[in-house]
Every structure is written in structure tokens, then in C-alpha cells.
Amino acid sequence: MMGMFEVRWHGRGGQGAWTASELLARAAVHEGKYIQSFPEFGPERMGAPVTAFTRISAKPIRLHCAVYEPNVVVVLDSTLMKTVQVAQGLARNGNLIINSKEAPLEVRKTLAYEGKVWTVPATEIAIKILGAPITSTAMLGAVARVTGVVSLESIKKAVEERFRRDVAEKNFAVIKEAYEEVRSE
Amino acid sequence: MSEKSWKEISIGAVCWKPSTALLTGDWRTYTPVRDPAKCTRCLLCAIYCPDGAIHWKPERNDIEFDYNYCKGCGICANECPTKAIEMKLL
Amino acid sequence: MKNVIKQKVVALNGNEAVAYAVKQSDVDVVAAYPITPQTIIVERFSEYVANGEVETAFVCTESEHSAMTACLTAALTGARTFTATASAGLALMHEMLFVTAGCRAPVVMAVANRALSAPLNIHGDQSDAMAQRDSGWIQLYVENAQEVYDTVIQAFKIAENPNVLLPAMVCFDGFIVSHSLENVNVLPDDAVKAFLGMRQFPTVLTHDGVKAPFRLDPEHPMTLGPAAFPNYYFEIKRQQVEALKNALSVIRQVHDEYAELSGRSYGNGLIEAYRLEDAEVATVCLGSTAGTTKIVVDELREEGVKAGLLRIRTFRPLPVDDIRRALQDVKAVAVLDKCISFGGFGGPVFHEVRHVLYDLDKRPVLVNYIYGLGGRDVPPWQIRQVYEDLKGILKEEKVKEPVNYLGLRE
């Protein structure tokens, strides 16, 4: 891995954007990487737009500031795109991963972004397996597939550390399905 | 008595002598004097004394004023139910 | 280092790193009141208590004033004592901070630095701790979650040293460090326990006329926290000055000893000089900004600019000689303050650094930048601007404005 890899997560309070950013970071720790994971600092309120960040690097991370130019942006809730500039700072060679059952080409029409767009029906997968629209782990699976920054095996370890056994199993099923289903144009 | 330098005193302002080393009895103007005939040994005076300067002496079945520490405040005289204590300018 | 102990790498945020370090430090009493952005420390620690993972007496108080009072009195009985706070909580402790230092109670406190109201702000700056810099506490400002963990452990050993016996604050930037998950190497439990050992007590002359360990003990009654009149108060304050002076060497010594064990060091424990040896332009800062600045310094060095950084890790006691030696040959220095000293000539760190260099025959040009207030983000390009300004000062041989505001909308 070259240099610093940065992810910005957009969600709403309660959807697990911070959890997803942490799980990705923890998975990277299992691969001997250096990490940072932090929320956009402030009070968290259920339903309000929230942002979280993950940094992954082969070298110790000394930077202590917000992420301005992420390699990947993940949108946990596509309704956010009406109010939040999700592609801000995202490079043309980056990846924008959106929770949507629409095809990437359809979603692109609503965006001012020229780089690669991916979609994954995270809400549908989450409802089917978890019985609740908590999309954090589905989006994590999509990130793993799109970027290859961490292996599914490392994500499995991170999920098992974080959740009770039955919950971990279900979430890992969500991750695997999202990993398979995420698609680009 | 000469006062100590900062190098000589205990740290944290730990007291190297007790407060009883200061004989506060010499602050006194009026002195409590008791009439043993009126005194019922109820010990209210000993309880009320803010300086703990009235002691019960069981061997004598009597109280004793410790004039080393009695500041002469007069609370004992005020509280005494039989008015056995009188504050006197000695 | 050869004898570095094998350690586990875990992902912890700054607050969790504090709680983990306290858990391993065999602490007897924790008394605390929750406040953002410190709350996670107390939450995690109360979980350790509830799970029976520690033998600590955990006291939930009704305010920070009471929390510090409880810690003070617990520490005076000989207990290893810890608390955590931030912002308004630290401000509410103000009175008891002086009492704790004056009574020589070695309480250790984590401060997740946060702005003070008004306007209300929960985000990070160093106004809270800077407002307490003259309270007689040791103040250590750390850069990241790893250093938080390492320094909390060190703080117990520093504070409890019989030649020091002073309370110590471990300060780290609220949210930027407190809420950021980072890789943290943690020592085995028994290694921390062995490193700290039991509390040591100097002996004091008590009013029984005998010498006894300096702690409340029914076997050796002693009076602590008495009134001292004009004939003794001054002498007792002078003792505190001496204790802080002793702390300078103890902080270094504990830092070095810990470095041997863990393989991690932070400058000499007092200051961290980064690429300063031949630097012409340098910045001075405290806390997490130093990490971002190191990246900028590396970039500038690659471009041929002789840039450096001085991070002050120990702000109280101020390592005067170390700062002077580190900066004496630099041509232009910018001091970064995450705090305003209202009505003063620049921020508190600027006051100190400028003051320390005054006695030099040939001293650097010094400018001040107030920055990052109320959690305003500090990206690398902002810090780069400071170095550009310093280069400009050297070129024009003139300081336009000694006190500047970085990242402020004019």
C-alpha cells in the first residue's frame, strides 16, 4: 500500500458511520497497519447527518487533522445526497460508494462527480439479514471489495471482537453479501 | 523561639507541634468560677465548652476547669441550668 | 533498545488509552464527574470496576469540585488516586487544585482539553488547562493516544516520587486525541505493576514529636491542611517551588526508565526537539499539532528549507534550560498557542518561550500565532503558512505583527 489511505463515511446518527469507520480501522490493525478512526467531532443526534473518517497507512500516522481529500467516500444513506456534498474533495481517481438499489449510472446523474461510482443495496441486505436498516457493515463489505485495502478475514476478526457471537455472524453474512453485490458502471 | 526556614519544616504544612502547644488561656479576660454548692454535675458546661477546657474527673466526682486553654468566652456560665458559674474579672 | 518488553497492539482512542493505563496502574481510588470530551474515560473505567477487573474504590461525586476534594483526601491517606475532567469541570476544580498541590497530594488527572464557555463549545483547545497553569500542578501535554497511555503510567511514578509529591495533569487535545482510534502498544499488566511499585512515603515530623510516613494514619496522628499565617505560609509555598524543580529531573528519569522498558521515548521527557539541530525557522507547540507539524517539517526539509519543531511536553515545571538550548541558534521562531491570554502580549506559551530566551545575547526573532480555538481544524497547509511567514521575516528582517491569528476569518 502506498502512502496514506483515507475514507470518509457519510451517514445519519444511529446508522453506524462511526462504527463502520472503526471496524475498517480495526481490521487494518490485524494486518499490521497503522490507523486512525474518528467521527466528525460533535454531539451525536439520531437522524442528523454525521461524518466519520478512517486513515490507514503502512507507516505511523502523525497527522492530527480532518480528512480533506479522501481516496474513498462511503454514503450509508442516499437521502443525504440531497443536502450534503458527498463528493467534496474526492479525487477523480477515487471511489464513491453509495447505498442504493439503483444502478451506478442512475445515481451518477444526481452527482457532480466524474470518478468511479459504485452502488450496493445495503438497506435491503441489512433488512433481509439483520431485520433492521443498519447499513454500516454492508457498506464495510462494499469498501473491502472496491478497495481491497483489508481482507474479509481481517474484517471478520474485527467484527467478532466488536459484537456478540450471533450478532457477529449475522453481520459477517451482511458483509459477504454486500461484498458480492457491490457494482460499478 | 526562632522561626524555621523552608528547608526545615515538614512538607505539605504538616504540623510539627500540636495546636495544644499554644496556651490560649492567656487570651482570657473574664474567668469562670463555679459554686460547688449550686453545681449538680450535669456536665452541660463540659459539653458546650468550645475549647474542651472543662474536664470530668470521675475519681473526685467533679469537674475541673483547664485554665491553660479556657479563653473566657462565658458559654459555660450561660448554659449552666443552676447558674452555678459566674464570670469574674480576677 | 535491547531489553524492550513484548507488547500487544490494540486500537484505542485517547480516552480508552487513559482508562486502560489507569486499570493497569493499580489505582486505589477514582472519584470523578463526567464531562465531554472526557466521559469515555470514566465510562470505561466504571466498566472495569463493575466487571471486577480492578480493586478500585470508584466514587461518583456530584461535581468536579467534590471529585477533586475526594481525590485530595484519598491521596492523603496514601491511596493511589486518579480523576479525569475537561473544560468547565476543570474550572470548577480551580479552588481544590491549589489545595491539592499545597497539601502535596499526588493525584493524577487526565484532562481532555476543551474550550471554555461562552459561547458554549465542546471542542478542543487548551484554554482549560492553561487557566490552571499556576495551580502548582505538574502539566504534561501529549501528542497522541500512544503517548497518552505511556504518560498516564509515568505520571503516577512522577507524582508519587518522595522528592516531588505533587499532583500531575496529563493533557491531550479533546476529540482530536480523546476520540480518535489509534494503534496503541500496551504493556503486560505485571510490567506496569512492577514499573510503578507501591507508593513511597517520605517521613515527616508529626506533633507526637516522632517522624512518621507522610500519610493519614490513626497510629501516627498528624494535622494536614492547617492554617498557616504570614509567618509560615510563604515558606510552605517555597517548598512547592522546590518540589516542581525536583520534578524536572524526576520526569526525565521516569521517562528514560519507561523508555527502556517500552522502547518508546518522547524527546527527553521534557521537550521534543524535531530536526532542530541546524534549523533556521522553527515552530513551538504543545499536543497533537506537533504530529501534523512534523509532516510539514519533513516536506520543507525535502525542499531545502531548514525547518524544525520544538514540542514542549512538560509545561509545568517549565524546562527553561532545555528550551533555551533547543532554540538559541534558530533565527526565527513562531510559537503556537491554542489559548488566548486575554489582554496579555500573546498566548501563554509565547509568554514563556519569549521570556526564557530574553537572557540570551543573541536570540531568535519571535512571533506568536493563536490557533485552533474551539476545535478549529489545523490542516498542514496552515502550519506551512507559518513557516512561510517566518521565511518572510528572515528575508525582510522585520516583524510586522508579533501576535497573529492562524486560520481566523479576517
Side-chain angles (χ1 to χ4, degrees):
Chain A
M1 189 175 63
M2 298 293 288
M4 184 95 79
F5 181 80
E6 295 178 313
V7 184
R8 186 173 69 223
W9 306 78
H10 290 284
R12 293 187 182 280
Q15 289 174 336
W18 191 12
T19 306
S21 88
E22 273 206 30
L23 287 171
L24 179 62
R26 288 178 188 279
V29 171
H30 284 295
E31 299 185 4
K33 304 269 172 55
Y34 291 91
I35 57 97
Q36 267 180 1
S37 157
F38 49 97
E40 183 179 51
F41 310 130
E44 287 219 11
R45 296 148 300 167
M46 194 77 103
V50 294
T51 312
F53 307 93
T54 312
R55 282 196 176 107
I56 300 173
S57 171
K59 290 189 291 185
I61 300 173
R62 298 178 296 183
L63 203 59
H64 279 105
C65 68
V67 170
Y68 289 87
E69 291 171 347
N71 304 83
V72 177
V73 169
V74 187
V75 182
L76 276 70
D77 184 332
S78 59
T79 63
L80 281 166
M81 295 196 295
K82 288 178 198 149
T83 50
V84 180
Q85 298 270 318
V86 294
Q88 195 169 35
L90 185 61
R92 259 195 83 163
N93 62 357
N95 287 291
L96 178 57
I97 310 171
I98 297 159
N99 167 17
S100 172
K101 56 184 176 187
E102 306 283 341
L105 210 58
E106 289 302 309
V107 177
R108 173 185 293 287
K109 287 177 189 163
T110 64
L111 287 164
Y113 178 60
E114 292 174 357
K116 206 158 191 181
V117 176
W118 302 73
T119 60
V120 59
T123 305
E124 287 72 15
I125 297 170
I127 288 176
K128 188 176 81 186
I129 300 174
L130 302 175
I134 301 166
T135 54
S136 52
T137 43
M139 297 312 288
L140 183 61
V143 171
R145 171 66 178 277
V146 171
T147 66
V149 67
V150 289
S151 69
L152 273 182
E153 195 49 42
S154 303
I155 289 183
K156 189 161 186 261
K157 283 186 198 160
V159 169
E160 283 167 352
E161 283 165 358
R162 174 68 194 248
F163 300 109
R164 211 175 58 211
R165 194 174 166 179
D166 55 330
V167 180
E169 275 172 13
K170 279 185 177 174
N171 273 288
F172 192 64
V174 168
I175 287 164
K176 274 200 294 193
E177 187 157 339
Y179 186 91
E180 296 301 330
E181 286 201 27
V182 64
R183 60 211 153 132
S184 72
E185 292 140 290
Chain B
M1 182 195 73
S2 69
E3 284 166 341
K4 296 170 193 282
S5 88
W6 66 268
K7 291 170 191 160
E8 295 167 309
I9 56 177
S10 294
I11 60 162
V14 169
C15 297
W16 60 89
K17 56 182 183 183
S19 57
T20 47
L22 195 63
L23 302 182
T24 46
D26 64 5
W27 301 8
R28 188 172 64 244
T29 306
Y30 290 93
T31 303
V33 177
R34 181 199 52 152
D35 178 352
K38 284 190 193 167
C39 174
T40 63
R41 279 60 164 177
C42 73
L43 300 183
L44 274 179
C45 57
I47 292 166
Y48 275 103
C49 175
D51 281 294
I54 304 172
H55 304 301
W56 172 241
K57 296 286 172 188
E59 66 279 10
R60 285 191 274 122
N61 189 37
D62 203 357
I63 59 162
E64 184 182 277
F65 288 90
D66 187 342
Y67 292 113
N68 280 330
Y69 301 106
C70 168
K71 294 176 187 149
C73 69
I75 289 174
C76 53
N78 195 57
E79 295 298 332
C80 179
T82 59
K83 298 293 164 211
I85 301 171
E86 192 185 337
M87 300 303 292
K88 288 189 172 168
L89 201 57
L90 296 178
Chain C
M1 275 167 247
K2 291 183 199 96
N3 301 321
V4 167
I5 199 164
K6 196 170 154 41
Q7 295 164 67
K8 191 168 68 172
V9 183
V10 289
L12 298 173
N13 65 37
N15 283 338
E16 291 167 337
V18 172
Y20 200 90
V22 175
K23 174 189 166 190
Q24 292 184 307
S25 298
D26 202 14
V27 171
D28 301 301
V29 177
V30 171
Y33 187 85
I35 183 168
T36 302
Q38 160 281 135
T39 312
I40 298 169
I41 300 174
V42 181
E43 277 176 7
R44 287 290 173 280
F45 196 79
S46 59
E47 283 169 20
Y48 295 143
V49 174
N51 294 341
E53 293 176 63
V54 288
E55 288 177 45
T56 312
F58 185 83
V59 188
C60 298
T61 54
E62 81 283 13
S63 76
E64 287 87 353
H65 189 282
S66 302
M68 185 45 63
T69 309
C71 287
L72 156 67
T73 47
L76 289 177
T77 67
R80 180 168 290 156
T81 311
F82 173 83
T83 188
T85 194
S87 185
L90 186 60
L92 186 55
M93 285 179 179
H94 179 73
E95 178 195 7
M96 296 315 296
L97 295 181
F98 284 74
V99 180
T100 305
C103 285
R104 310 293 295 275
V107 176
V108 170
M109 172 158 63
V111 178
N113 291 123
R114 164 183 157 184
L116 288 165
S117 291
L120 178 65
N121 178 292
I122 62 164
H123 296 80
D125 71 34
Q126 290 160 351
S127 313
D128 53 357
M130 282 296 160
Q132 309 300 344
R133 66 189 185 275
D134 294 339
S135 60
W137 281 58
I138 291 165
Q139 287 196 330
L140 306 166
Y141 289 80
V142 304
E143 185 179 314
N144 52 38
Q146 179 70 64
E147 196 184 350
V148 165
Y149 170 80
D150 295 334
T151 308
V152 166
I153 295 169
Q154 291 172 28
F156 287 109
K157 194 154 184 161
I158 296 163
E160 294 170 6
N161 184 297
N163 292 323
V164 177
L165 274 181
L166 286 172
M169 280 179 212
V170 178
C171 306
F172 50 98
D173 290 310
F175 290 104
I176 299 169
V177 174
S178 70
H179 283 58
S180 289
L181 194 74
E182 294 186 313
N183 308 60
V184 179
N185 289 273
V186 296
L187 296 164
D189 292 353
D190 53 355
V192 177
K193 211 168 172 173
F195 176 76
L196 289 177
M198 299 287 281
R199 258 189 76 175
Q200 304 293 312
F201 303 94
T203 52
V204 287
L205 184 66
T206 74
H207 51 59
D208 283 345
V210 296
K211 289 204 162 189
F214 176 53
R215 62 162 181 242
L216 280 175
D217 177 359
E219 296 296 315
H220 296 285
M222 65 174 78
T223 306
L224 292 158
F229 292 132
N231 60 344
Y232 272 111
Y233 180 88
F234 202 177
E235 277 68 27
I236 290 156
K237 294 294 115 180
R238 177 65 183 83
Q239 287 184 330
Q240 280 177 249
V241 172
E242 196 67 7
L244 274 160
K245 210 160 117 189
N246 294 345
L248 279 174
S249 57
V250 172
I251 292 167
R252 282 188 73 149
Q253 182 190 313
V254 170
H255 166 270
D256 292 352
E257 203 182 314
Y258 187 88
E260 288 222 346
L261 175 71
S262 69
R264 287 183 296 279
S265 57
Y266 304 98
N268 65 1
L270 303 172
I271 61 162
E272 186 188 357
Y274 188 73
R275 306 189 80 163
L276 266 182
E277 310 78 36
D278 61 339
E280 290 180 350
V281 287
T283 58
V284 179
C285 71
L286 275 55
S288 67
T289 309
T292 311
T293 307
K294 285 172 192 167
I295 294 167
V296 177
V297 168
D298 288 352
E299 286 171 5
L300 289 166
R301 284 276 174 178
E302 273 180 34
E303 296 162 20
V305 180
K306 288 185 173 176
L309 158 73
L310 175 68
R311 176 166 76 94
I312 300 178
R313 180 174 185 255
T314 304
F315 187 67
R316 285 290 184 270
L318 192 74
V320 173
D321 295 336
D322 299 81
I323 294 173
R324 197 176 283 150
R325 266 198 302 275
L327 294 177
Q328 60 189 0
D329 296 324
V330 182
K331 289 181 181 159
V333 174
V335 180
L336 273 58
D337 265 290
K338 230 179 200 185
C339 170
I340 292 182
S341 170
F342 289 105
F345 180 34
V349 185
F350 184 59
H351 296 167
E352 299 287 8
V353 173
R354 202 175 160 94
H355 182 37
V356 160
L357 300 179
Y358 182 82
D359 291 328
L360 293 173
D361 295 329
K362 191 174 132 297
R363 52 184 172 262
V365 176
L366 277 132
V367 285
N368 188 206
Y369 289 82
I370 309 287
Y371 79 107
L373 295 191
R376 177 69 48 89
D377 196 45
V378 193
W381 52 89
Q382 243 177 43
I383 293 165
R384 203 183 167 88
Q385 187 56 51
V386 173
Y387 285 97
E388 294 300 329
D389 290 357
L390 290 178
K391 279 158 67 184
I393 287 169
L394 285 186
K395 208 169 151 193
E396 291 166 33
E397 294 179 337
K398 202 175 83 181
V399 173
K400 267 181 254 154
E401 177 58 55
V403 182
N404 304 274
Y405 301 90
L406 186 65
L408 176 80
R409 290 183 301 277
E410 292 292 351

